[in-house]
Amino acid sequence: MIKLYLLLTVNLFTICFCATASAQKVPAETYIDFNKNGRMDVYEDPSADVEDRIENLLAQMTLDEKTCQMVTLYGYLRVLQDDLPTPEWKTKLWKDGIGAIDEHLNGFRGWGVPVYESPYLWPASKHAWALNEVQRFFVEETRLGIPADLTNEGIRGVEAYRATNFPTQLGLGHTWNRELIRRVGYITGREGRLLGYTNIYAPILDVGRDQRWGRYEEVYGEDPYLVAELGVQMVLGLQQDYQVAATSKHYIAYSNNKGAREGMSRVDPQMPPHEVENIHVYPWREVIARGGLLGVMSAYNDYDGYPIQSSGYWLGERLRKDFGFRGYVVSDSDAVEYLHTKHRVSPDMKESVYQSVMAGLNVRCTFRSPDSYVLPLRELVREGRIPMRVIDERVRDILRVKFLVGLFDNPYQTDYEAADREVDGPENNAVALRASRESLVLLKNAGNTLPLDASRLRQVAVIGPNADETAFVHTHYGPLATEAVSVYEGLSKALGNKVRVVYEKGCELVDADWPLSEILPTEPAEEELAMIRRAVEAARASDVAVVVVGGGPRTCGENKSRTSLDLPGRQELLLREVHKVGKPMIVVLINGRPLSINWAAAHADAILEAWYPGSHGGTAIAEALLGEYNPGGKLTVTFPKTVGQIPFNFPAKPNSQVDGPRKPGLDGNQSRINGALYDFGFGLSYTTFAYSNLELSDREIRPDESFEVAFDITNTGSRRGDEVVQLYVRDCISSITTYEKTLKGFERIGLEPGEKKRVRMTLTPKDLSLLDAAMQRVVEPGEFDILVGASSTDIRLAGRIRVVDGAGAAAEPSAAAEIRFPATVARGGEVTLPVRDDLDIGGLTIRWSRGTDCAFEILISDGGGQFLPVFSGKAAGRGVQECVFEPTKASEVRISVVRGKGVVAGVENEAIRK
């Protein structure tokens, strides 16, 4: 047995390693003589302890061999010019080995460049054979035979010429399905290993906070709890049986750079320490602890003036000591070089290498010769600036990962039959189709426009720049040449000969001047108008128009941040003109970020959000439009109405996103657009669901206790459907400002019509905890609201639990509970109540009790402490009084007695916050 307890500290990370370590046992008699000395060294012994194997190998390594392990050689036509080993390799730097070879023979040559040709791209068995030949050079032709870690991208399936193609990670996030994400991870890792790769760069643990960001398509969502839960499952799937190592990116605080800028400007995230810890650190801590993550990619950015790449705090103290990470850290491309070319904390490459290695970097990975890193590294060691003990520490981590994934026991992938059978095979594609279906979110369905009844259709017009497009399927970081189905193709196949399906592009994704046209609009050219006219005529001749708009590789992706969230180019003009025809108009969005589709939201009959739905997207969308599948995804992101509302996301601090005045026009008081277009957690269905019977296992607990939340969910409609039930927690009073509410549980549940299920979720002390002013995680005594709903704003059930300290004491009850009715108010006294931020208040129903004889005023405040009168009246004796005034936005409403005495038995209005 491999005694992993010697390898790792005793925590949940250890358990994750031990659970799969047995899969790597190999009989000692099958050992490989890596160092060609005719005997079995400890590092060659499959039955030996992993740490003993590492130390035995490390003791035999020279400085040259150690430093070669600390660098990546980028693959064919990126840096390496050979697809297979050549005699010249014996004269290259990697004659002494290499840490990793990245993206070798995966077909990717560069952004927007076609897949290169090679006889080793496909079939899968041929690809695996070629990578075996590369691996054979390192095993047989280097002194110690240390295998290379063959790394590759994999956030929507393995980045290979062909592999199972899943929706982009943002689409996968919208499934809210832990089991499905784990299955996606397993398939990605399994196909990666069958193709010959041993390390997959996935998942992305960045939390999306700025919808303008180009890489928004790569995140699971904007909530740290959701990102962590799905990230854990993806890693567990990828690393099952140590089939590959998972390397997550981008560590850390990478996804909220100033103005969402990218390129050389991936710097300067504008976030305070609590925000970084609660939002951006949380997923990393969880995935490392619960998933046993083996790889971390260090990011380009700085935080608070310290580049992550050279930060001993982030790469050492936090990552290794605090989180317990025991894998290896690889740089994100030019992160090392950026220390002197961008951040200017180093004068040259040599100093950048020094800072990176001393901080905790194990492997430099970028599109440059490995010599550019290894040679200055060797100089630094010979000069004594970098101690050999530091080199040994970095190499130990690299070797540990290689041992754990079985490279020293099974360095070759020889199951060629399985490779040809499974990679992009039918069983895996069935899972990909399921993922495409479950990622769909129904945003609007006025008058039950959807699903369409095919028996009543004669002709369907499929219109738009994304209607017959699949380029979004084959962008970077996933499979590059799988067969893909467009919306037009999907509907055509689904409807067959029964209904005629016609296609018109209508407009290009962008116009000739985009993005300049977003600030300096231009009139459409005649050619553009002609395209729109043809689309309009197609819609006029059809029973329904399906208009497929959104974004693509031109508008979203790495280095493609935006300054607007509107539909680019002439797309909204196309929608407006098609809508004038008067036929039902269904908008399908294919895009990589939330878009401010205000006009579509107001005028389209139905809207289906598909994100980048993978190679089976057209099939899944057609099934949803025709009712063969009932969309059940929910938003993991907030849709702002305008880019001017950013930052606008979930979770948010109390009142930080509260609306301003709401009366527009010449005599109004509104100065800005209020509210989200669609809130976090939102999503419709073709059926309906009822929530009932909330039960908390306890009403009072100690800070170290867990409790159970249970409730019923019932399908009250006539169709089978999925509901994503969401559990939120609100800390009523805390020592520092916490979020208005936080997501702490979710489950995707499929129910038949009339079916009811009892849902049970457990909340632990961690779920009630906060980082206090001293950055210590504590559970403070007090009250917590437990909220169950269909979205972050559609709360269906609510309860409250009280946390008491050892002496049985709790914090004071919330402010809302301080008002006790009946309340006796003498002259000059008042009753003040909080108002919901999502509703205007235009009156109060006051129940007066015996003893009342007063004149009173009703006043409102919208923040800042100033109250303005909106109603004056008198009251005498017991009775109910309706007080009506002009509806207005308010944060608080006050009843003030100006003469006499009033006894208020109760105050009612739906806008009063309970």
Side-chain angles (χ1 to χ4, degrees), residues 30 284 292 296 371 512 582 628 648 668 693 712 768 824 838 908:
T30 65
W284 290 94
V296 164
D371 304 58
E628 297 171 18
F648 198 3
N693 301 323
D712 291 334
L768 304 183
T824 301
D838 60 333
E908 296 175 4

Side-chain angles (χ1 to χ4, degrees), residues 483-742:
E483 295 181 6
V485 180
S486 70
V487 177
Y488 171 58
E489 292 169 333
L491 276 171
S492 297
K493 183 176 180 180
L495 292 170
N497 296 324
K498 301 174 184 177
V499 180
R500 186 179 182 216
V501 181
V502 298
Y503 161 72
E504 287 291 343
K505 192 170 189 178
C507 68
E508 301 293 343
L509 195 71
V510 300
D511 61 71
D513 297 313
W514 190 87
L516 185 62
S517 56
E518 291 183 340
I519 60 171
L520 292 174
T522 57
E523 293 298 319
E526 177 54 36
E527 182 181 350
E528 293 175 312
L529 292 174
M531 292 178 69
I532 292 175
R533 285 195 295 266
R534 289 194 293 271
V536 168
E537 289 309 309
R540 195 186 312 278
S542 302
D543 301 300
V544 62
V546 177
V547 189
V548 191
V549 293
R554 173 68 180 86
T555 67
C556 193
E558 188 172 2
N559 291 321
K560 292 173 184 173
S561 294
R562 289 189 62 189
T563 47
S564 170
L565 294 179
D566 296 339
L567 287 169
R570 311 298 183 192
Q571 294 187 57
E572 186 169 304
L573 176 61
L574 175 65
L575 291 178
R576 290 173 180 265
E577 294 302 310
V578 171
H579 181 261
K580 290 178 182 177
V581 172
K583 300 294 179 69
M585 185 175 76
I586 300 162
V587 173
V588 175
L589 294 170
I590 293 180
N591 49 294
R593 61 160 64 83
L595 296 174
S596 297
I597 51 165
N598 298 288
W599 192 91
H603 296 93
D605 296 285
I607 303 174
L608 183 69
E609 173 61 81
W611 306 111
Y612 292 153
S615 60
H616 299 285
T619 301
I621 291 167
E623 291 176 344
L625 296 180
L626 297 173
E628 297 171 18
Y629 177 75
N630 184 356
K634 298 283 185 123
L635 293 181
T636 67
V637 296
T638 299
F639 276 54
K641 293 177 179 175
T642 168
V643 74
Q645 293 174 297
I646 292 175
F648 198 3
N649 42 40
F650 178 91
K653 295 292 183 65
N655 301 301
S656 65
Q657 295 177 175
V658 169
D659 293 340
R662 295 190 182 92
K663 185 178 179 182
L666 295 175
D667 60 346
N669 59 3
Q670 184 175 352
S671 61
R672 65 181 179 90
I673 298 299
N674 295 321
L677 189 59
Y678 301 108
D679 291 297
F680 177 86
F682 174 81
L684 303 175
S685 172
Y686 297 154
T687 189
T688 54
F689 299 93
Y691 293 68
S692 60
N693 301 323
L694 176 69
E695 180 182 5
L696 306 183
S697 60
D698 295 279
R699 293 290 178 177
E700 189 171 281
I701 60 171
R702 296 189 306 272
D704 60 348
E705 291 183 316
S706 300
F707 65 98
E708 186 178 83
V709 180
F711 57 93
D712 291 334
I713 180 74
T714 306
N715 183 343
T716 53
S718 59
R719 288 177 177 268
R720 186 200 182 281
D722 291 355
E723 175 71 335
V724 177
V725 297
Q726 300 158 48
L727 174 62
Y728 297 91
V729 172
R730 175 187 292 127
D731 193 341
C732 296
I733 294 181
S734 51
S735 61
I736 65 169
T737 303
T738 55
Y739 297 105
E740 193 273 333
K741 64 172 76 78
T742 52

